[in-house]
Structures are given as structure tokens and as C-alpha cells.
Amino acid sequence: MKQSLQIFVIYIFLQNIFAGKAFSQSFEDSVMIANCEKWNIAYKNGMLTLSNPGSAQVFTMNLSKLDSGKIKQKRKDSSYVEFSGSGGLDGSKYMTIKKSRVYKLQMGTDENSTAALFVVTNESNEKRQTFLGKMISKNHEEENEVLSSESTVYGTIKRNNLATGWEFSLKNLSANSGLPFSFFSAPEGFLTSEKDSLYLERASFKADAVLVDVEGHHVGAVKFRKKPFTIWVQKNMENSLQDAVAVLFGVMIAKKSF
């Protein structure tokens, strides 16, 4: 009886913590929305078009692959031969395959632009059937299998008339459709410079992520996983940081082209 009471008290305590955090986040998101410009994004063929509802303002961003080509690395982790459940032999090897490519996303003209130069790295752990396995295996339908995969984006954002820029990193941009709760699919990332430090958190409204400063204030948000694509950027930030945040969100929206 005493143990059950302790568990109940702990449960109520945790519920109050989560409820308090959710209320605080919802409040911060409400404050942010009231102080943000909202931009609707159309994305097609490597071009993002940003339009402000109720305004004639329109900006574009252009995504391009750089000439470095795709870098592919393979590493053999292990191999084995064993009897399969159907009575045949299964000869397989485990491999880590890493693919990287460099991209550029530019907003504005060459004379007055803010651009992201970044590398997209896709790393997968795969089970591959060996030549011997192909010869002896009866389970041809399961010859190769991707066990897990992860994409990482990292790079810099720079305004062409400024000496310094921002560094950024992004992970977990794809929706984990196999998981039952959206809690597990929150994107991770940051945007930093000599004087700014911002990081991604889960949103409490229809956005997929919010951008938060070191004091916990929400300064921007993005809906990038499903149409309609939308970004919110705080009005009272300096123009160069506004543009950097918009370009960061543009990279997240353009992820399907990587």
C-alpha cells in the first residue's frame, strides 16, 4: 500500500512538471507569434519562394549542388554464415555506408545576399548478402536490408557584406513514421555566431520546431515536413540575423532534394 502511494505521488509530480513545461512553452510560442512575421513558402525545382500574407513582399532562395560530386565511403563491420530458419544458409555482411554532398542555398542577389554553404551526410547501417550467401541462400527476398539510417546537415551561413557568419547543424529532419508518437521525431539543431546562440525545440502549435535563444525566448518557427510550408521570424531581430534564420529554415524545407 505504501509503495503504491509513493508511485502515485511521483506520477502526480511528474504530471505537474510536464503540464507546467507545456504551459510555459505554449506561452512563449504565443508571444513569439504575436511578434513575428509569417511567411508562406512554395518550393519547386530547387527554388523557394517566400511570400508575406497580405503584403506584396516576395523573396526567393535558390538551392544548388556544388561541383564536388558525391563522396561515398564504405566500411565493412562484420560478416557471418549461419543456418537460417528455413533450413538454408545465410551468408551476410554488415556495412556502414556514408554518402556526402555539398550544397548552397542563396537568398537575394549576388550583390546583397545571405547564403548557406553546407554538407549533407547520409549514413546507413546495412546488411548485405555476400557472394557466397547468394550462392547458398534460399531467402533471396531478404538479400539486402537497411537496418538504420541517419542524415546530418552542417555548414555556415554568411551575409556577403559581413566579415563574420553563423555556423549551423541539423539532425532528425525526416519524420519517423514508424514511431507511434511525434515526441520521438523532434528535429535537433543550432545556429551560432560570435554573439548569437540559438537552438531548435519542439513547438507547441502547428509548427514542427521553434528556434530558442539562450534566455529561453522563442524567436522563430518553421513548418517544414508537410505542406503548406511556413516560417515565422521575429520582427525585432537585426536584419542580418533575420535573414540567417530564414535561410536556416529554408535548408530544412529543401531537405527532400538532398
Side-chain angles (χ1 to χ4, degrees):
M1 179 67 180
K2 184 177 179 181
Q3 185 177 12
S4 299
L5 181 61
Q6 289 175 336
I7 293 173
F8 178 75
V9 171
I10 293 172
Y11 173 78
I12 295 298
F13 176 72
L14 292 175
Q15 287 288 94
N16 288 334
I17 290 178
F18 293 144
K21 185 175 181 180
F23 175 80
S24 175
Q25 187 167 1
S26 179
F27 175 78
E28 283 289 347
D29 283 345
S30 298
V31 172
M32 178 200 67
I33 292 172
N35 293 283
C36 277
E37 289 184 331
K38 179 181 177 181
W39 295 87
N40 295 327
I41 316 295
Y43 180 51
K44 187 177 181 180
N45 297 329
M47 177 178 284
L48 292 90
T49 304
L50 293 73
S51 57
N52 193 314
S55 169
Q57 285 185 297
V58 176
F59 295 93
T60 59
M61 298 185 195
N62 293 287
L63 178 71
S64 58
K65 297 177 185 177
L66 299 192
D67 294 334
S68 60
K70 185 177 289 186
I71 301 171
K72 187 174 182 179
Q73 298 172 306
K74 292 184 180 180
R75 186 183 73 236
K76 182 178 177 181
D77 297 326
S78 63
S79 59
Y80 70 92
V81 177
E82 66 176 14
F83 285 97
S84 65
S86 60
L89 284 171
D90 183 15
S92 301
K93 59 184 176 182
Y94 289 101
M95 300 186 70
T96 298
I97 299 176
K98 195 180 212 180
K99 301 176 184 177
S100 300
R101 186 140 200 177
V102 182
Y103 293 83
K104 182 178 181 180
L105 182 68
Q106 179 173 309
M107 180 173 69
T109 63
D110 291 336
E111 295 76 21
N112 182 23
S113 68
T114 300
L117 183 65
F118 58 98
V119 177
V120 179
T121 300
N122 298 297
E123 184 171 311
S124 61
N125 296 311
E126 301 185 15
K127 178 184 174 183
R128 297 284 188 90
Q129 197 166 48
T130 64
F131 177 74
L132 175 62
K134 291 179 180 180
M135 297 291 293
I136 63 179
S137 177
K138 295 181 180 180
N139 300 321
H140 298 293
E141 71 278 2
E142 298 180 0
E143 290 180 353
N144 299 320
E145 181 182 0
V146 178
L147 303 176
S148 65
S149 63
E150 182 179 62
S151 293
T152 303
V153 181
Y154 59 92
T156 59
I157 298 175
K158 193 171 185 297
R159 198 169 189 172
N160 61 358
N161 59 353
L162 295 180
T164 59
W166 297 264
E167 295 182 357
F168 72 94
S169 177
L170 299 167
K171 289 177 64 177
N172 199 23
L173 296 183
S174 299
N176 295 327
S177 57
L179 296 173
F181 304 108
S182 61
F183 175 82
F184 297 102
S185 59
E188 303 171 27
F190 61 81
L191 176 69
T192 62
S193 69
E194 293 179 352
K195 61 177 181 178
D196 301 300
S197 184
L198 309 173
Y199 58 94
L200 292 173
E201 270 193 0
R202 178 177 305 282
S204 67
F205 63 115
K206 64 180 179 180
D208 293 309
V210 295
L211 200 59
V212 182
D213 65 18
V214 291
E215 296 178 350
H217 302 310
H218 296 192
V219 299
V222 58
K223 181 175 179 288
F224 68 95
R225 285 180 172 158
K226 292 182 180 180
K227 295 180 180 180
F229 303 127
T230 312
I231 67 173
W232 296 259
V233 181
Q234 195 176 79
K235 299 175 185 177
N236 60 5
M237 290 192 296
E238 62 181 54
N239 290 337
S240 60
L241 183 55
Q242 282 184 336
D243 290 348
V245 169
V247 171
L248 176 73
F249 290 160
V251 171
M252 297 172 73
I253 291 170
K255 67 180 179 60
K256 290 185 177 179
S257 295
F258 302 157

